């Protein structure tokens, strides 16, 4: 009955206790497949600058056949660093599509980090050369850690990592996280590091191009994470015209991803590669780019998984939410 309704709340600690990489990979793969098969819908993205200096966005969607509906309210508040907090903030809400009532509210920070890392890992599996062994990574923050963790997990051929930190200095704490899994060290020259790498991963705030276009050699694959808002970019002018481009969603990529800088570039959606891999054959000298803008369906499938696991384990809180 409506007066007996409850709203499940999953805070940071509960979410992090339930987030397992293999489960997130499965949920993210499902999201891409649902998107490819047009069983899952992605609604227009809201992404707006605020007077406070932050950027606020909403990603939403549904899977009618699964009775899955919801949204993620998220963004970036750089001033949070001065408060000792995380600048990226995200909250996911699952909604009953039959009534419009919220059923679960999930702390979305860890979800966003891990589902984005999982999406990057799936992109590498589909697009990087199978014998890839060297990585150039831009960034050493939360998302850089997620991307590299999934890359090493899903591509055991990767042995050497050269990274470029935001300050251009060594990051011993970052190195320590991966020192037992790969040969990791700072890059002394970013263009040389790109030229020497089979895989390039960019996880910066997207303020400007990170390297020269001539640095990218035939056969390189690039996972691009940082361009998620109009005006952001990490790739240099002229590079997209040389690549085979894969995106998570065509519309989003042309609006807020790297593809906004060359919107007429032919592209394929990653979900289509997962459902029909024969349509994309990678030649050894192809330069491939995965433009990652983040699908609402990824947030929803992961949040649903957490909701179900929390109920099974009696985790989270469930205050009364009558109507």
């Amino acid at each position: 009955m409506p007066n007996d309704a409850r709203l499940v709340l999953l805070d940071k600690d509960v979410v992090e206790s339930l987030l397992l990489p293999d489960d997130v990979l499965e949920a993210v793969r499902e999201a891409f497949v649902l998107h490819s098969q047009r069983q899952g819908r992605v609604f227009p993205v809201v992404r707006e600058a605020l007077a406070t200096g932050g950027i606020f966005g909403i990603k939403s969607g549904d899977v009618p056949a699964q009775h899955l509906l919801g949204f993620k309210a998220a963004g970036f508040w750089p001033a949070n660093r001065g408060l000792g907090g995380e600048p990226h903030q995200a909250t996911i809400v699952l909604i009953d599509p039959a009534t419009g009532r919220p059923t679960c509210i999930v702390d979305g920070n860890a979800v966003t980090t891990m589902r984005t890392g999982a999406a990057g890992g799936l992109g590498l599996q589909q697009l990087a050369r199978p014998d890839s062994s060297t990585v150039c990574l831009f960034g050493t923050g939360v998302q850089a850690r997620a991307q590299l963790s999934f890359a090493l997990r899903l591509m055991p051929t990767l042995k050497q990592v050269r990274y470029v930190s935001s300050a251009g200095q060594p990051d011993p704490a970052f190195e320590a996280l991966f020192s037992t899994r790969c040969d990791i060290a700072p890059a002394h020259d970013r263009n040389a590091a790109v030229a020497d790498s089979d895989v390039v991963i960019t996880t910066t705030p997207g303020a400007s191009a990170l390297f020269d276009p001539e640095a990218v050699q035939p056969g390189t694959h690039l996972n691009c994470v940082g361009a998620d808002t109009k005006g952001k970019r990490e790739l240099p002018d002229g590079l997209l015209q040389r690549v085979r481009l894969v995106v998570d969603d065509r519309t989003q990529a042309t609006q807020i991803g790297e593809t906004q800088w060359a919107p007429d570039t032919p592209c394929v959606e990653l979900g289509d590669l997962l459902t029909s891999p024969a349509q994309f054959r990678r030649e050894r000298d192809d330069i491939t780019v995965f433009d990652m803008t983040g699908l609402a369906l990824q947030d929803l499938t992961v949040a649903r998984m957490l909701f179900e696991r929390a109920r099974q384990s009696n985790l989270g809180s469930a205050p009364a939410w009558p109507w």
Side-chain angles (χ1 to χ4, degrees):
M1 298 295 292
N3 286 337
D4 296 328
R6 291 187 173 274
L7 175 62
V8 175
L9 307 177
L10 304 182
D11 65 18
K12 173 180 180 291
D13 292 336
V14 171
V15 169
E16 292 181 351
S17 72
L18 294 173
L19 272 180
L20 301 177
D22 288 343
D23 294 337
V24 175
L25 272 168
E26 182 179 349
V28 170
R29 178 183 288 274
E30 179 190 8
F32 279 122
V33 170
L34 289 168
H35 186 253
S36 173
Q37 296 175 340
R38 300 301 181 253
Q39 295 181 40
R41 297 190 297 171
V42 174
F43 304 149
V45 172
V46 173
R47 194 77 173 169
E48 298 292 340
L50 303 177
T52 60
I55 295 175
F56 176 68
I58 296 175
K59 290 181 176 178
S60 57
D62 72 349
V63 185
Q66 297 184 4
H67 306 289
L68 180 62
L69 170 68
F71 66 88
K72 180 175 74 175
F76 185 73
W77 284 264
N80 285 4
R81 291 194 181 99
L83 302 173
E86 167 59 45
H88 291 92
Q89 291 295 316
T91 302
I92 302 170
V93 180
L94 297 179
I95 295 171
D96 178 359
T99 65
R101 296 288 293 173
T103 57
C104 184
I105 296 179
V106 182
D107 185 301
N109 288 1
V111 172
T112 301
T113 297
M114 192 173 285
R115 65 84 154 145
T116 308
L122 292 172
L124 286 180
Q125 279 189 321
Q126 293 295 312
L127 299 168
R129 296 196 325 268
D131 61 349
S132 296
S133 63
T134 55
V135 179
C136 177
L137 173 66
F138 287 85
T140 59
V142 171
Q143 190 50 230
R145 298 174 186 183
Q147 289 294 323
L148 185 54
S149 181
F150 275 99
L152 296 173
R153 184 184 190 91
L154 296 179
M155 291 197 69
T157 58
L158 298 175
K159 302 297 183 183
Q160 177 181 291
V161 177
R162 297 296 177 257
Y163 69 89
V164 180
S165 68
S166 59
Q169 300 297 319
D171 189 331
F174 179 72
E175 291 181 30
L177 294 172
F178 299 99
S179 59
T180 62
R181 303 175 63 184
C182 62
D183 168 16
I184 185 167
H188 299 295
D189 182 298
R190 59 182 61 200
N191 282 323
V194 169
D196 291 340
S197 296
D198 302 311
V199 170
V200 177
I201 303 174
T202 61
T203 67
T204 75
S208 61
L210 298 172
F211 47 83
D212 296 335
E214 297 80 10
V216 182
Q217 301 301 303
T220 305
H221 171 68
L222 301 95
N223 265 7
C224 302
V225 184
D228 60 1
T229 303
K230 187 175 181 179
K232 283 189 174 185
R233 73 181 313 167
E234 295 178 304
L235 299 183
D237 281 336
L239 181 60
L240 286 183
Q241 287 78 358
R242 297 168 51 200
V243 312
R244 298 186 69 187
L245 178 62
V246 176
V247 300
D248 47 16
D249 180 88
R250 280 189 183 84
T251 301
Q252 282 188 195
T254 57
Q255 292 175 343
I256 61 176
E258 286 292 341
T259 310
Q260 68 183 283
W261 303 101
D264 295 329
T265 305
C267 65
V268 178
E269 291 184 343
L270 184 67
D272 293 341
L273 302 189
L274 294 173
T275 57
S276 303
Q279 70 173 284
F280 189 94
R281 179 185 174 91
R282 188 197 208 289
E283 301 298 336
R284 184 166 184 81
D285 286 344
D286 285 342
I287 299 172
T288 51
V289 168
F290 181 27
D291 186 5
M292 303 168 55
T293 57
L295 295 179
L297 292 173
Q298 297 166 3
D299 300 306
L300 298 186
T301 55
V302 174
R304 179 187 58 192
M305 179 268 292
L306 294 172
F307 185 27
E308 293 171 350
R309 296 283 170 83
R311 287 191 295 184
Q312 293 167 3
S313 304
N314 197 29
L315 295 174
S317 56
W321 203 258
W323 58 295

